[in-house]
Amino acid sequence: RLLGKPLPALWGGPINNVWFNFACGDPSDPSLLHWTHGNDPDSTSDANTLVVTSSSEPLMNGFYFDGQPYVFSSDRLLRIVATFGDLTSFRCLETPCTKGLWSRYGFALAPEGVYFVAKDGIYLTAAGSDAISITDPDLSPIFPQDGGNDAVAVRGISPPDFTQPNKMRLTYVDDALYFDYQDKTGALRTLMFEPKYKRWTPDLYASGVTARLDESGQQVHTNLIGCANGNLYQFD
């Protein structure tokens, strides 16, 4: 008997003062959305599932923004809502954001919305609104266009290796967005985006970044960085 199966994507938050966790990424059914019982994040049932997409459009990950739960597929962003106010079942509504998530962990929440890696660039959407590119026009050549393999280096910046999506990470830290990725040469690279100035800058490290955790808060301006050499660093 199968008692439980770990899923690669999990997110949670309150809906009408009742806490729910949502999950996706089941390799046997990538189109399936799962959720826990209300106010009981350690339990669920087979009934707490919903087929959201086709098998060719897997669910990638999700998040809460402005008090609403969302789920990304590979092609679009959907909002999760209770079925006619019933907090035991849910349905998904398509949002105006018609870009999907390429990398399961390639997204980051920020005050202005959600940044995410799509198949042709990095975008920003606010509460499911239209996706706005933050890599056009200067950095668009390093991303594949029209589903092709036409990415090229720009000003010495190597294209990301889109065959390694799990090595693409976005992290929002202290008013800056970090894009950590493996490029086509196999090297680990980082680009930093400053939303206030709408500019990108290469961020160079002695050892490539594999994970990053925001520690910033009131009078705190640091983040933890895990690097390919096996060490953990504090960046400030």
Side-chain angles (χ1 to χ4, degrees):
R1 183 184 176 197
L2 184 64
L3 295 179
K5 179 187 296 185
L7 298 176
L10 175 72
W11 65 102
I15 301 176
N16 294 339
N17 298 317
V18 180
W19 187 279
F20 288 91
N21 282 342
F22 296 92
C24 66
D26 187 341
S28 62
D29 195 345
S31 63
L32 208 61
L33 177 69
H34 302 254
W35 60 88
T36 59
H37 295 313
N39 286 334
D40 190 1
D42 293 325
S43 69
T44 185
S45 76
D46 293 340
N48 293 0
T49 57
L50 174 68
V51 177
V52 179
T53 59
S54 67
S55 58
S56 62
E57 184 188 347
L59 298 183
M60 300 297 290
N61 213 326
F63 58 89
Y64 265 69
F65 186 81
D66 198 23
Q68 294 288 332
Y70 294 84
V71 60
F72 264 117
S73 76
S74 58
D75 297 338
R76 51 195 166 138
L77 177 63
L78 304 109
R79 186 163 62 95
I80 304 169
V81 297
T83 303
F84 306 115
D86 178 10
L87 286 182
T88 61
S89 63
F90 295 90
R91 58 195 175 108
C92 288
L93 303 178
E94 191 166 354
T95 72
C97 178
T98 56
K99 294 286 185 179
L101 186 63
W102 179 264
S103 165
R104 192 179 301 279
Y105 309 111
F107 74 100
L109 302 184
E112 58 270 25
V114 183
Y115 294 97
F116 65 98
V117 179
K119 61 184 179 181
D120 58 354
I122 300 177
Y123 291 82
L124 169 67
T125 177
S129 63
D130 289 340
I132 300 171
S133 174
I134 63 169
T135 47
D136 283 343
D138 293 341
L139 284 183
S140 59
I142 74 170
F143 294 93
Q145 303 298 311
D146 300 320
N149 191 27
D150 53 350
V152 296
V154 173
R155 299 177 186 174
I157 298 173
S158 299
D161 184 350
F162 267 67
T163 68
Q164 300 293 326
N166 286 338
K167 294 185 179 179
M168 297 179 182
R169 304 291 176 113
L170 284 181
T171 313
Y172 187 85
V173 181
D174 208 19
D175 298 327
L177 180 72
Y178 293 86
F179 177 38
D180 300 305
Y181 66 96
Q182 179 176 302
D183 71 11
K184 285 190 172 183
T185 71
L188 296 175
R189 305 290 185 188
T190 298
L191 293 172
M192 183 183 68
F193 178 69
E194 297 170 277
K196 181 178 179 179
Y197 305 105
K198 293 182 171 56
R199 69 185 178 196
W200 287 94
T201 308
D203 207 20
L204 303 178
Y205 299 83
S207 180
V209 175
T210 58
R212 193 185 298 265
L213 177 66
D214 178 19
E215 287 190 306
S216 61
Q218 187 174 5
Q219 297 181 339
V220 178
H221 306 276
T222 64
N223 64 97
L224 293 177
I225 299 174
C227 290
N229 62 8
N231 290 333
L232 182 68
Y233 300 91
Q234 185 177 61
F235 180 88
D236 60 22

